[in-house]
Amino acid sequence: MRSKLTAPAIRARKVRDGGEPLVMVTAYDAPGARMADEAGVDLLLVGDSVAMVVLGYDDTLQVTVDDLAHHTAAVARGLASSAPDRPAKKPFVVADLPWMSYHTTPTDTVMNAAQLIRAGAQGVKLEGGRKRLPMIEAILDAEIPVMGHLGLTPQSLHAMGGFRVQGREHGAALELVADAKALAAAGCFAIVLEGVPDEVARMVTDAVDVPTIGIGAGAGTDGQVLVYHDVLGIEDRILPKFVRRYADLKAAGVDALSAYAADVRSGAFPGEAETYHLDAEVAETLGIYGLAPIGV
Ligand code: KIV
């Protein structure tokens, strides 16, 4: 049985200390988790981006802990049977704490984090800086690894006035560095930096002794994360500047489904190779000597 990458092993993967950059991708279901594992990624993030790329919402505010637990369990089941012969460890699964799951009381926060761990995650991620410290400490106190998330935090969409790059001004850049230091000191094992200028991501990365994992944060972080549907070109409506598409699965899928539809309409599918038949003796007992009439 392959063991999993652990939070302490990830925590030690600082590029300046010789660590290999961390590779994280989102996953929301069993086949996606298996593909990412076979590709050798280090971390799977069951992100609240599931709201936008899978469930059709315009923002991430619409999903609940139950939704995230449902997708986390699917990812965990996918990994349980994936790539048994790979030499490398299985990816560490992080589940997003959705909006309003860590904004009320520490008790509710810990119970919500526990639900995601019981669903199959090994750690949880939450958005925000110093003002989230009491919740982060409560989760860590329950022995659950926490990943921070700073910069463009999509759950703050309305407060930020849209999905905007953060930390562009002198003071805001210094605030980001102070937030990151506080999260690292509290015990977060890694910090996602989303939508910040390259220079600011490098300042943050230099300032903390835990890995930073960037998305739209340039090349100076200790790792990168992208959304599965963006990497594979399944989501083709928007292409943010920071995304690189490595495939065009939307086009490949439309082509394949069009070919299927054409074959059904022309009668070319199913063919003999895709058809079951009765044994001849059984067919005879039913009075069938050639092809069964449609509907029998
Ligand atoms: O939900 C998500 O996909 C995320 C990443 C963008 C980091 O939080």
Side-chain angles (χ1 to χ4, degrees), residues 7 100 225 237 252 273 293:
M100 287 313 289
V225 52
R237 292 166 300 176

Side-chain angles (χ1 to χ4, degrees), residues 24 26 28 45 47-49 96 125 127 149 192 194 215 225 227:
M24 181 157 87
T26 62
Y28 314 104
L45 171 64
D48 58 0
S49 51
D96 256 343
K125 174 166 82 58
E127 298 181 3
H149 184 157
V192 166
E194 177 167 358
I215 174 164
V225 52
V227 168

Side-chain angles (χ1 to χ4, degrees), residues 23-47:
V23 181
M24 181 157 87
V25 69
T26 62
Y28 314 104
D29 57 23
R34 282 197 292 266
M35 279 170 63
D37 184 22
E38 284 188 33
V41 308
D42 299 309
L43 297 105
L44 293 182
L45 171 64
V46 187

Side-chain angles (χ1 to χ4, degrees), residues 220-243:
T221 53
D222 298 299
Q224 297 290 329
V225 52
L226 280 177
V227 168
Y228 180 89
H229 290 59
D230 290 336
V231 179
L232 296 182
I234 300 170
E235 171 58 73
D236 71 342
R237 292 166 300 176
I238 36 171
L239 182 62
K241 178 180 166 67
F242 59 83
V243 168

